[in-house]
mmCIF file of all heavy atoms in Angstrom:
data_model
loop_
_atom_site.group_PDB
_atom_site.id
_atom_site.type_symbol
_atom_site.label_atom_id
_atom_site.label_comp_id
_atom_site.label_asym_id
_atom_site.label_seq_id
_atom_site.Cartn_x
_atom_site.Cartn_y
_atom_site.Cartn_z
ATOM 1 N N VAL A 559 -6.943 -4.282 5.094
ATOM 2 C CA VAL A 559 -5.910 -5.315 5.224
ATOM 3 C C VAL A 559 -4.528 -4.721 4.954
ATOM 4 O O VAL A 559 -3.560 -5.014 5.659
ATOM 5 C CB VAL A 559 -6.192 -6.504 4.278
ATOM 6 C CG1 VAL A 559 -5.061 -7.518 4.310
ATOM 7 C CG2 VAL A 559 -7.509 -7.173 4.644
ATOM 8 N N LEU A 560 -4.435 -3.860 3.940
ATOM 9 C CA LEU A 560 -3.154 -3.218 3.620
ATOM 10 C C LEU A 560 -2.679 -2.333 4.766
ATOM 11 O O LEU A 560 -1.497 -2.319 5.099
ATOM 12 C CB LEU A 560 -3.269 -2.394 2.339
ATOM 13 C CG LEU A 560 -3.528 -3.175 1.053
ATOM 14 C CD1 LEU A 560 -3.650 -2.212 -0.126
ATOM 15 C CD2 LEU A 560 -2.444 -4.195 0.798
ATOM 16 N N LEU A 561 -3.600 -1.600 5.377
ATOM 17 C CA LEU A 561 -3.253 -0.728 6.495
ATOM 18 C C LEU A 561 -2.749 -1.540 7.685
ATOM 19 O O LEU A 561 -1.755 -1.189 8.317
ATOM 20 C CB LEU A 561 -4.462 0.121 6.892
ATOM 21 C CG LEU A 561 -4.227 1.189 7.947
ATOM 22 C CD1 LEU A 561 -3.176 2.193 7.486
ATOM 23 C CD2 LEU A 561 -5.530 1.912 8.263
ATOM 24 N N ALA A 562 -3.414 -2.647 7.972
ATOM 25 C CA ALA A 562 -2.991 -3.512 9.078
ATOM 26 C C ALA A 562 -1.587 -4.077 8.809
ATOM 27 O O ALA A 562 -0.743 -4.113 9.709
ATOM 28 C CB ALA A 562 -3.997 -4.645 9.270
ATOM 29 N N ALA A 563 -1.349 -4.486 7.570
ATOM 30 C CA ALA A 563 -0.032 -5.024 7.206
ATOM 31 C C ALA A 563 1.035 -3.941 7.326
ATOM 32 O O ALA A 563 2.143 -4.198 7.805
ATOM 33 C CB ALA A 563 -0.064 -5.580 5.786
ATOM 34 N N GLN A 564 0.700 -2.714 6.913
ATOM 35 C CA GLN A 564 1.653 -1.607 6.994
ATOM 36 C C GLN A 564 2.037 -1.340 8.446
ATOM 37 O O GLN A 564 3.198 -1.108 8.755
ATOM 38 C CB GLN A 564 1.055 -0.347 6.360
ATOM 39 C CG GLN A 564 1.985 0.862 6.371
ATOM 40 C CD GLN A 564 3.190 0.676 5.471
ATOM 41 O OE1 GLN A 564 3.049 0.537 4.279
ATOM 42 N NE2 GLN A 564 4.379 0.664 6.041
ATOM 43 N N LYS A 565 1.068 -1.397 9.356
ATOM 44 C CA LYS A 565 1.346 -1.171 10.779
ATOM 45 C C LYS A 565 2.310 -2.224 11.323
ATOM 46 O O LYS A 565 3.237 -1.899 12.062
ATOM 47 C CB LYS A 565 0.043 -1.181 11.584
ATOM 48 C CG LYS A 565 -0.775 0.070 11.400
ATOM 49 C CD LYS A 565 -2.035 0.021 12.233
ATOM 50 C CE LYS A 565 -2.838 1.292 12.051
ATOM 51 N NZ LYS A 565 -4.091 1.271 12.804
ATOM 52 N N VAL A 566 2.116 -3.475 10.951
ATOM 53 C CA VAL A 566 3.009 -4.549 11.394
ATOM 54 C C VAL A 566 4.397 -4.338 10.806
ATOM 55 O O VAL A 566 5.406 -4.423 11.512
ATOM 56 C CB VAL A 566 2.451 -5.935 10.977
ATOM 57 C CG1 VAL A 566 3.479 -7.031 11.218
ATOM 58 C CG2 VAL A 566 1.162 -6.237 11.718
ATOM 59 N N MET A 567 4.464 -4.047 9.510
ATOM 60 C CA MET A 567 5.762 -3.919 8.841
ATOM 61 C C MET A 567 6.517 -2.668 9.296
ATOM 62 O O MET A 567 7.740 -2.649 9.245
ATOM 63 C CB MET A 567 5.591 -3.936 7.320
ATOM 64 C CG MET A 567 5.140 -5.293 6.770
ATOM 65 S SD MET A 567 6.102 -6.721 7.353
ATOM 66 C CE MET A 567 7.710 -6.347 6.659
ATOM 67 N N ASN A 568 5.819 -1.636 9.749
ATOM 68 C CA ASN A 568 6.496 -0.452 10.290
ATOM 69 C C ASN A 568 7.359 -0.829 11.494
ATOM 70 O O ASN A 568 8.381 -0.205 11.746
ATOM 71 C CB ASN A 568 5.489 0.624 10.709
ATOM 72 C CG ASN A 568 4.959 1.411 9.529
ATOM 73 O OD1 ASN A 568 5.521 1.381 8.435
ATOM 74 N ND2 ASN A 568 3.853 2.108 9.731
ATOM 75 N N LYS A 569 6.952 -1.854 12.239
ATOM 76 C CA LYS A 569 7.680 -2.285 13.430
ATOM 77 C C LYS A 569 8.839 -3.226 13.104
ATOM 78 O O LYS A 569 9.798 -3.287 13.849
ATOM 79 C CB LYS A 569 6.725 -2.994 14.397
ATOM 80 C CG LYS A 569 5.665 -2.094 14.961
ATOM 81 C CD LYS A 569 4.683 -2.865 15.812
ATOM 82 C CE LYS A 569 3.550 -1.952 16.232
ATOM 83 N NZ LYS A 569 2.376 -2.684 16.671
ATOM 84 N N GLN A 570 8.725 -3.957 11.996
ATOM 85 C CA GLN A 570 9.737 -4.983 11.729
ATOM 86 C C GLN A 570 10.486 -4.813 10.416
ATOM 87 O O GLN A 570 11.362 -5.608 10.106
ATOM 88 C CB GLN A 570 9.114 -6.376 11.819
ATOM 89 C CG GLN A 570 8.068 -6.680 10.756
ATOM 90 C CD GLN A 570 7.324 -7.976 11.042
ATOM 91 O OE1 GLN A 570 6.810 -8.177 12.136
ATOM 92 N NE2 GLN A 570 7.271 -8.861 10.070
ATOM 93 N N GLY A 571 10.163 -3.777 9.661
ATOM 94 C CA GLY A 571 10.872 -3.582 8.390
ATOM 95 C C GLY A 571 10.137 -2.620 7.480
ATOM 96 O O GLY A 571 9.734 -1.552 7.908
ATOM 97 N N LYS A 572 9.931 -3.038 6.230
ATOM 98 C CA LYS A 572 9.276 -2.148 5.270
ATOM 99 C C LYS A 572 8.300 -2.930 4.400
ATOM 100 O O LYS A 572 8.422 -4.143 4.231
ATOM 101 C CB LYS A 572 10.310 -1.456 4.386
ATOM 102 C CG LYS A 572 11.080 -2.415 3.488
ATOM 103 C CD LYS A 572 12.020 -1.695 2.550
ATOM 104 C CE LYS A 572 12.714 -2.739 1.667
ATOM 105 N NZ LYS A 572 13.311 -2.205 0.501
ATOM 106 N N MET A 573 7.336 -2.198 3.859
ATOM 107 C CA MET A 573 6.360 -2.770 2.940
ATOM 108 C C MET A 573 6.328 -1.899 1.691
ATOM 109 O O MET A 573 6.276 -0.674 1.798
ATOM 110 C CB MET A 573 4.975 -2.805 3.589
ATOM 111 C CG MET A 573 3.896 -3.390 2.698
ATOM 112 S SD MET A 573 2.328 -3.593 3.564
ATOM 113 C CE MET A 573 1.391 -2.247 2.846
ATOM 114 N N VAL A 574 6.377 -2.550 0.535
ATOM 115 C CA VAL A 574 6.370 -1.846 -0.740
ATOM 116 C C VAL A 574 5.287 -2.454 -1.626
ATOM 117 O O VAL A 574 5.140 -3.678 -1.676
ATOM 118 C CB VAL A 574 7.744 -1.968 -1.453
ATOM 119 C CG1 VAL A 574 7.711 -1.312 -2.815
ATOM 120 C CG2 VAL A 574 8.848 -1.383 -0.599
ATOM 121 N N ILE A 575 4.554 -1.597 -2.319
ATOM 122 C CA ILE A 575 3.556 -2.068 -3.278
ATOM 123 C C ILE A 575 4.057 -1.710 -4.672
ATOM 124 O O ILE A 575 4.420 -0.555 -4.933
ATOM 125 C CB ILE A 575 2.181 -1.435 -3.008
ATOM 126 C CG1 ILE A 575 1.711 -1.806 -1.601
ATOM 127 C CG2 ILE A 575 1.170 -1.884 -4.063
ATOM 128 C CD1 ILE A 575 0.439 -1.149 -1.165
ATOM 129 N N ARG A 576 4.091 -2.708 -5.551
ATOM 130 C CA ARG A 576 4.629 -2.509 -6.898
ATOM 131 C C ARG A 576 3.596 -2.819 -7.973
ATOM 132 O O ARG A 576 2.658 -3.564 -7.741
ATOM 133 C CB ARG A 576 5.846 -3.420 -7.113
ATOM 134 C CG ARG A 576 7.008 -3.046 -6.235
ATOM 135 C CD ARG A 576 8.243 -3.828 -6.596
ATOM 136 N NE ARG A 576 9.358 -3.351 -5.777
ATOM 137 C CZ ARG A 576 10.343 -4.120 -5.363
ATOM 138 N NH1 ARG A 576 10.385 -5.380 -5.707
ATOM 139 N NH2 ARG A 576 11.307 -3.612 -4.619
ATOM 140 N N HIS A 577 3.832 -2.267 -9.150
ATOM 141 C CA HIS A 577 3.038 -2.531 -10.359
ATOM 142 C C HIS A 577 1.553 -2.212 -10.170
ATOM 143 O O HIS A 577 0.696 -3.031 -10.482
ATOM 144 C CB HIS A 577 3.216 -3.983 -10.813
ATOM 145 C CG HIS A 577 4.649 -4.373 -10.969
ATOM 146 N ND1 HIS A 577 5.209 -5.410 -10.279
ATOM 147 C CD2 HIS A 577 5.653 -3.838 -11.710
ATOM 148 C CE1 HIS A 577 6.488 -5.524 -10.600
ATOM 149 N NE2 HIS A 577 6.785 -4.566 -11.464
ATOM 150 N N VAL A 578 1.279 -1.031 -9.662
ATOM 151 C CA VAL A 578 -0.097 -0.598 -9.412
ATOM 152 C C VAL A 578 -0.678 -0.019 -10.697
ATOM 153 O O VAL A 578 -0.078 0.860 -11.313
ATOM 154 C CB VAL A 578 -0.125 0.464 -8.282
ATOM 155 C CG1 VAL A 578 -1.529 0.969 -8.049
ATOM 156 C CG2 VAL A 578 0.459 -0.109 -7.003
ATOM 157 N N ASN A 579 -1.857 -0.512 -11.089
ATOM 158 C CA ASN A 579 -2.490 0.029 -12.299
ATOM 159 C C ASN A 579 -3.173 1.365 -12.002
ATOM 160 O O ASN A 579 -3.247 1.802 -10.857
ATOM 161 C CB ASN A 579 -3.458 -0.988 -12.929
ATOM 162 C CG ASN A 579 -4.708 -1.223 -12.093
ATOM 163 O OD1 ASN A 579 -5.182 -0.351 -11.376
ATOM 164 N ND2 ASN A 579 -5.248 -2.423 -12.184
ATOM 165 N N GLU A 580 -3.659 2.008 -13.035
ATOM 166 C CA GLU A 580 -4.235 3.353 -12.913
ATOM 167 C C GLU A 580 -5.457 3.388 -11.995
ATOM 168 O O GLU A 580 -5.613 4.299 -11.187
ATOM 169 C CB GLU A 580 -4.614 3.858 -14.310
ATOM 170 C CG GLU A 580 -4.644 5.357 -14.405
ATOM 171 C CD GLU A 580 -4.860 5.824 -15.842
ATOM 172 O OE1 GLU A 580 -4.039 5.470 -16.711
ATOM 173 O OE2 GLU A 580 -5.857 6.509 -16.063
ATOM 174 N N THR A 581 -6.314 2.382 -12.093
ATOM 175 C CA THR A 581 -7.536 2.337 -11.284
ATOM 176 C C THR A 581 -7.206 2.253 -9.794
ATOM 177 O O THR A 581 -7.760 2.997 -8.979
ATOM 178 C CB THR A 581 -8.394 1.116 -11.687
ATOM 179 O OG1 THR A 581 -8.664 1.193 -13.082
ATOM 180 C CG2 THR A 581 -9.692 1.075 -10.913
ATOM 181 N N ILE A 582 -6.289 1.371 -9.439
ATOM 182 C CA ILE A 582 -5.928 1.196 -8.032
ATOM 183 C C ILE A 582 -5.118 2.392 -7.531
ATOM 184 O O ILE A 582 -5.283 2.834 -6.397
ATOM 185 C CB ILE A 582 -5.196 -0.141 -7.830
ATOM 186 C CG1 ILE A 582 -6.206 -1.270 -8.091
ATOM 187 C CG2 ILE A 582 -4.600 -0.247 -6.443
ATOM 188 C CD1 ILE A 582 -5.645 -2.637 -8.152
ATOM 189 N N SER A 583 -4.304 2.949 -8.395
ATOM 190 C CA SER A 583 -3.554 4.154 -8.044
ATOM 191 C C SER A 583 -4.517 5.289 -7.683
ATOM 192 O O SER A 583 -4.290 6.035 -6.733
ATOM 193 C CB SER A 583 -2.666 4.560 -9.220
ATOM 194 O OG SER A 583 -1.899 5.678 -8.884
ATOM 195 N N GLU A 584 -5.601 5.380 -8.429
ATOM 196 C CA GLU A 584 -6.619 6.405 -8.164
ATOM 197 C C GLU A 584 -7.279 6.172 -6.803
ATOM 198 O O GLU A 584 -7.523 7.123 -6.054
ATOM 199 C CB GLU A 584 -7.672 6.366 -9.278
ATOM 200 C CG GLU A 584 -8.539 7.602 -9.320
ATOM 201 C CD GLU A 584 -9.432 7.597 -10.547
ATOM 202 O OE1 GLU A 584 -8.903 7.681 -11.671
ATOM 203 O OE2 GLU A 584 -10.665 7.501 -10.360
ATOM 204 N N VAL A 585 -7.544 4.922 -6.457
ATOM 205 C CA VAL A 585 -8.117 4.590 -5.147
ATOM 206 C C VAL A 585 -7.158 5.044 -4.040
ATOM 207 O O VAL A 585 -7.574 5.648 -3.051
ATOM 208 C CB VAL A 585 -8.401 3.069 -5.024
ATOM 209 C CG1 VAL A 585 -8.769 2.689 -3.595
ATOM 210 C CG2 VAL A 585 -9.503 2.654 -5.980
ATOM 211 N N PHE A 586 -5.859 4.765 -4.218
ATOM 212 C CA PHE A 586 -4.858 5.189 -3.228
ATOM 213 C C PHE A 586 -4.820 6.707 -3.099
ATOM 214 O O PHE A 586 -4.698 7.232 -1.993
ATOM 215 C CB PHE A 586 -3.469 4.662 -3.596
ATOM 216 C CG PHE A 586 -3.269 3.187 -3.369
ATOM 217 C CD1 PHE A 586 -2.382 2.477 -4.152
ATOM 218 C CD2 PHE A 586 -3.950 2.505 -2.368
ATOM 219 C CE1 PHE A 586 -2.176 1.117 -3.949
ATOM 220 C CE2 PHE A 586 -3.750 1.149 -2.154
ATOM 221 C CZ PHE A 586 -2.863 0.456 -2.943
ATOM 222 N N GLU A 587 -4.915 7.420 -4.211
ATOM 223 C CA GLU A 587 -4.889 8.888 -4.195
ATOM 224 C C GLU A 587 -6.111 9.455 -3.468
ATOM 225 O O GLU A 587 -5.981 10.307 -2.591
ATOM 226 C CB GLU A 587 -4.847 9.442 -5.625
ATOM 227 C CG GLU A 587 -3.524 9.260 -6.333
ATOM 228 C CD GLU A 587 -2.395 10.072 -5.720
ATOM 229 O OE1 GLU A 587 -2.642 11.203 -5.259
ATOM 230 O OE2 GLU A 587 -1.259 9.561 -5.705
ATOM 231 N N ILE A 588 -7.288 8.976 -3.839
ATOM 232 C CA ILE A 588 -8.544 9.498 -3.279
ATOM 233 C C ILE A 588 -8.630 9.254 -1.772
ATOM 234 O O ILE A 588 -9.101 10.101 -1.012
ATOM 235 C CB ILE A 588 -9.760 8.869 -4.001
ATOM 236 C CG1 ILE A 588 -9.841 9.414 -5.431
ATOM 237 C CG2 ILE A 588 -11.060 9.145 -3.263
ATOM 238 C CD1 ILE A 588 -10.815 8.680 -6.319
ATOM 239 N N THR A 589 -8.154 8.076 -1.328
ATOM 240 C CA THR A 589 -8.269 7.715 0.086
ATOM 241 C C THR A 589 -7.122 8.272 0.938
ATOM 242 O O THR A 589 -7.171 8.182 2.157
ATOM 243 C CB THR A 589 -8.297 6.180 0.252
ATOM 244 O OG1 THR A 589 -7.099 5.633 -0.321
ATOM 245 C CG2 THR A 589 -9.515 5.581 -0.407
#
C-alpha cells in the first residue's frame, strides 16, 4: 500500500513518513 501511494505521490507531489519506531525502521531497511 505504501509503495502504491508513493507512486501516485511521485506524480503529484511528495510523500513523507514520520515518527517511525525501531521495529518498522528495521522492516524498511531490510526490504
Side-chain angles (χ1 to χ4, degrees):
V559 175
L560 294 179
L561 186 60
Q564 181 67 63
K565 285 181 179 178
V566 170
M567 292 311 296
N568 281 344
K569 295 175 186 161
Q570 66 190 52
K572 65 176 182 162
M573 180 173 106
V574 176
I575 300 175
R576 294 188 176 147
H577 307 122
V578 178
N579 70 30
E580 205 173 302
T581 304
I582 293 171
S583 182
E584 196 172 294
V585 170
F586 287 151
E587 288 293 324
I588 290 169
T589 58

